[in-house]
Amino acid sequence: MTTVVELEIPAARLGFARAFDRVSTFEFQVGGMIGGSAPLVWTNGPDHETVKQELEADPSVEVVASVADDDERSTTDESAVAGQNDRWLFRLEFGDGVKLFEQIVTENDGAILTARGADGRWVVKLLFHDRESVSACHGLLEQYDFQAAVVRISGVDDLARAQTPLTETQYETICKAHELGYFDVPRGVTLKELAAELDISHQALSERLRRSHAALVSAELSERTAPIEIDR
């Protein structure tokens, strides 16, 4: 049975560890990583120049090209206000960690559908033809200490029902916040207390909640009749 597996892997094992460490708001999203060509990677951060400088300084990646600069965007007041939501496109060559990961997946008849990252972690979605290939791949990832945690496993027939506008981390954060009464009036827990409970910084939690709220509102306001996946 065709199986989709979602894994969460620390950036230190795949790449962008320095970028995550130096830029607290850094995020990325890459499409299918098939073949030997350098993939196109969408990035988020405080501004284009900061992201570009940190990518160039990160030893785990090589910037092949900056494909879409913010210079190409409008400089009106409206776009300046929305600047925090801008994305910048780079063509990046990944280092040995990603190359070994790709090799393990492909040699077990798998394919990398998407990869995205935030808060120092990658979330990678893989497609396999059967569960035996999944087990073999996961065994090799453990052998090479990728520290891969299985977030979700589903058959392709279950994929539509499993879709959500939130990433797994965002979903868990919202659930914990609801459980502890963060959304109650008055609040049952402060942002600082919730951050301590989740073992993340106050700033990281604030940004994660903002992204989660944006994803939920976008899904609710969509004209579609069913939720869709939004990789943010």
Side-chain angles (χ1 to χ4, degrees):
M1 176 183 176
T2 302
T3 303
V4 176
V5 181
E6 196 167 307
L7 300 176
E8 188 174 274
I9 301 175
R13 304 303 301 145
L14 286 178
F16 293 131
R18 176 191 166 100
F20 280 120
D21 183 58
R22 299 298 182 92
V23 184
S24 63
T25 58
F26 178 73
E27 296 181 0
F28 74 90
Q29 181 176 334
V30 56
M33 300 168 67
I34 302 175
S37 60
L40 292 170
V41 181
W42 284 106
T43 63
N44 289 75
D47 58 77
H48 174 266
E49 190 58 31
T50 296
V51 170
K52 182 179 180 182
Q53 288 178 357
E54 291 305 327
L55 289 178
E56 291 174 340
D58 195 314
S60 65
V61 296
E62 178 183 347
V63 178
V64 177
S66 177
V67 181
D69 292 347
D70 55 355
D71 293 341
E72 300 170 7
R73 297 178 178 271
S74 168
T75 57
T76 64
D77 291 341
E78 181 179 354
S79 66
V81 172
Q84 62 180 349
N85 296 320
D86 287 348
R87 301 193 302 169
W88 301 283
L89 187 62
F90 293 88
R91 187 175 293 280
L92 302 177
E93 182 74 39
F94 288 100
D96 293 340
V98 169
K99 291 178 180 177
L100 177 59
F101 181 81
E102 286 184 282
Q103 180 181 345
I104 290 173
V105 172
T106 56
E107 287 183 355
N108 286 279
D109 298 322
I112 301 174
L113 298 178
T114 62
R116 63 185 187 274
D119 301 326
R121 292 178 294 275
W122 287 53
V123 177
V124 187
K125 189 175 291 186
L126 309 175
L127 178 69
F128 293 93
H129 292 300
D130 52 58
R131 291 295 180 96
E132 289 75 14
S133 297
V134 174
S135 298
C137 179
H138 191 262
L140 284 171
L141 293 177
E142 287 187 331
Q143 178 181 331
Y144 285 96
D145 194 29
F146 274 93
Q147 302 173 33
V150 178
V151 175
R152 183 183 294 114
I153 298 180
S154 59
V156 291
D157 293 336
D158 301 325
L159 201 54
R161 291 194 297 272
Q163 286 177 338
T164 170
L166 300 176
T167 66
E168 185 72 13
T169 299
Q170 290 170 349
Y171 180 81
E172 292 175 354
T173 300
I174 290 292
C175 286
K176 178 59 71 172
H178 182 269
E179 174 189 333
L180 297 180
Y182 178 75
F183 301 112
D184 294 349
V185 181
R187 283 179 173 167
V189 64
T190 66
L191 189 67
K192 183 177 180 180
E193 291 168 340
L194 180 58
E197 178 72 22
L198 294 169
D199 195 26
I200 60 176
S201 70
H202 180 284
Q203 180 182 355
L205 175 59
S206 177
E207 292 163 355
R208 187 184 297 175
L209 287 173
R210 175 178 56 80
R211 291 191 296 268
S212 301
H213 294 162
L216 290 170
V217 170
S218 295
E220 183 66 23
L221 296 180
S222 171
E223 293 181 358
R224 298 177 175 86
T225 58
I228 60 170
E229 182 173 356
I230 302 172
D231 289 329
R232 285 195 43 81

